[in-house]
Amino acid sequence: QVQLVESGGGLVQAGGSLRLSCAASRSVTSINAMGWYRQAPGKERERIASIPKGGGPYYKDSVRGRFTISTDNAKDTLYLQMNSLKPEDTAVYYCVAWYQDKWYWGQGTQVTVSS
C-alpha cells in the first residue's frame, strides 16, 4: 500500500505561485509512477502532470511551461511547482501513485486563484 498526504494548497492571486507537496509512505523510487490530478467544480477530474519511474514528465497542455513536477527521493516526496497561476487553475489537486498494479490517491488540497 501507499499512503499519500498532500499539502501546500491555498488562496493566491492570479500570477502568483504555489508549491504542492505529496508525502508518500514508502520510497518514491519503488513507485512505478506518480502524478497530479485536479478537479474543478462541475468538471471531470483531469491529469495535469505525471512522471514515471525512469521516464520523462508529462504535462497537460494548459499547464506546460507554468507547472513543474519533481520528486525528492531523500524525502519520499512529490512536488508540483505552480507558477503564473490563473483563475482557471482553481481546483482540488490530488496526488496519485501507481504501485503494484493499483492506483492510490491522496485526500486532495484546495487551490484557489483569485482574479
Side-chain angles (χ1 to χ4, degrees):
Q1 283 191 345
V2 182
Q3 282 79 48
L4 303 168
V5 179
E6 300 106 332
S7 61
L11 174 64
V12 64
Q13 289 188 334
S17 298
L18 284 174
R19 188 178 76 160
L20 304 183
S21 300
C22 171
S25 62
R26 61 172 54 248
S27 171
V28 296
T29 60
S30 70
I31 298 172
N32 298 100
M34 298 189 75
W36 292 94
Y37 279 66
R38 70 185 180 188
Q39 187 167 22
K43 296 188 177 181
E44 293 187 354
R45 194 171 295 188
E46 61 180 1
R47 180 171 59 133
I48 57 170
S50 61
I51 184 165
K53 185 168 63 175
Y58 157 86
Y59 295 100
K60 185 177 177 62
D61 285 346
S62 59
V63 308
R64 187 178 295 114
R66 300 188 297 123
F67 292 8
T68 304
I69 189 171
S70 63
T71 59
D72 185 331
N73 294 347
K75 296 182 178 180
D76 295 326
T77 299
L78 176 74
Y79 298 101
L80 185 69
Q81 178 66 45
M82 305 186 295
N83 298 329
S84 303
L85 283 161
K86 305 175 181 180
E88 52 263 42
D89 294 318
T90 295
V92 178
Y93 285 69
Y94 298 90
C95 172
V96 299
W98 176 250
Y99 176 73
Q100 293 188 342
D101 297 329
K102 291 182 180 180
W103 285 105
Y104 294 89
W105 293 78
Q107 82 285 357
T109 186
Q110 177 71 46
V111 172
T112 303
V113 184
S114 63
S115 57

